[in-house]
Amino acid sequence: MSRVPPIDERELHARALQKDPLILVDLLKAVAKQIEGFVRHDLKCDEETAYDAVIDVLYAYVEAPSQYDPNKGRLVTYLTKAAKHRVRDLLKSGDSRTRREGNYASSVELWQTPSKDILENFVEASRAVERLKKRLSERDLAVLRLILSGESSTEVLARALGLDPSSPEEMRREVKRHRDRLMKVLERLGKEDSDDPA
């Protein structure tokens, strides 16, 4: 049986601080299973609850990595503690939700989107994506995905655009120009949809 090489937590943390776009993927590979195992063993919770907590904690860590202090302990320990707190919160809110739903289920029918609407929304979104693929390059699509997922870092967007980081002012101008252009493409697509009598 081969040994798994030790995780370089300091390198992972340094990359998180630098907002490396691949850090979340690498954290998932490096520590997610280990943390999930600790949480399930210590709190005796189900696999789904533990997994949800680990994902929430990793996202939160990547958003604000500076809250972790490497001098106070290992990254895995920090993330495991946070995941355990998250599981406790999820279990408490689950108990509350079960009680709440039990109280109201007999008198209120829970609203659900009709499957016809879900299918129509899916088809509409698929058509929009196909139209965007015809209008935009792979690079533009990658940048648009970042923007729509909430990414606002000029450096991350510049890296996705393949811009030269040697001139920060020029880089900012170019990122803004590309962002504005992509937003106009989306705006035009929306106008075409609203003008389409379909």
Side-chain angles (χ1 to χ4, degrees), residues 9-171:
E9 292 182 354
R10 291 197 180 268
E11 180 201 340
L12 287 173
H13 182 58
R15 288 176 51 210
L17 289 170
Q18 294 167 356
K19 299 294 184 188
D20 181 336
L22 297 177
I23 189 62
L24 186 58
V25 173
D26 291 343
L27 281 167
L28 284 167
K29 289 178 189 172
V31 298
K33 284 283 182 211
Q34 183 181 10
I35 296 169
E36 186 182 332
F38 290 145
V39 169
R40 288 186 66 200
H41 177 268
D42 293 353
L43 299 182
K44 309 292 186 234
C45 64
D46 63 273
E47 187 175 342
E48 187 178 342
T49 303
Y51 180 78
D52 287 349
V54 170
I55 296 300
D56 289 349
V57 163
L58 290 179
Y59 270 114
Y61 166 70
V62 168
E63 287 297 312
S66 59
Q67 291 185 2
Y68 163 65
D69 181 356
N71 298 320
K72 291 186 177 178
R74 293 187 54 208
L75 179 60
V76 170
T77 305
Y78 171 80
L79 295 171
T80 300
K81 279 184 184 177
K84 287 179 181 178
H85 285 292
R86 182 72 184 128
V87 166
R88 289 184 189 106
D89 290 346
L90 288 170
L91 293 175
K92 282 180 192 171
S93 68
D95 289 344
S96 298
R97 185 174 53 247
T98 302
R99 279 195 302 278
R100 210 172 38 248
E101 288 172 359
N103 291 338
Y104 296 108
S106 60
S107 60
V108 177
E109 182 177 324
L110 298 176
W111 181 83
Q112 182 178 4
T113 303
S115 56
K116 179 183 170 219
D117 291 350
I118 293 171
L119 183 59
E120 286 174 4
N121 290 343
F122 176 76
V123 169
E124 209 173 294
S126 297
R127 285 182 186 149
V129 168
E130 285 307 312
R131 290 204 319 265
L132 279 173
K133 282 182 179 178
K134 289 176 185 172
R135 294 179 184 196
L136 299 175
S137 67
E138 283 298 317
R139 182 189 74 173
D140 283 347
L141 285 170
V143 172
L144 188 57
R145 280 189 202 101
L146 286 170
I147 292 169
L148 293 176
S149 70
E151 182 59 63
S152 60
S153 165
T154 300
E155 290 78 19
V156 171
L157 295 174
R159 206 171 18 243
L161 286 163
L163 298 175
D164 179 17
S166 62
S167 170
E169 189 57 40
E170 179 66 22
M171 186 175 70

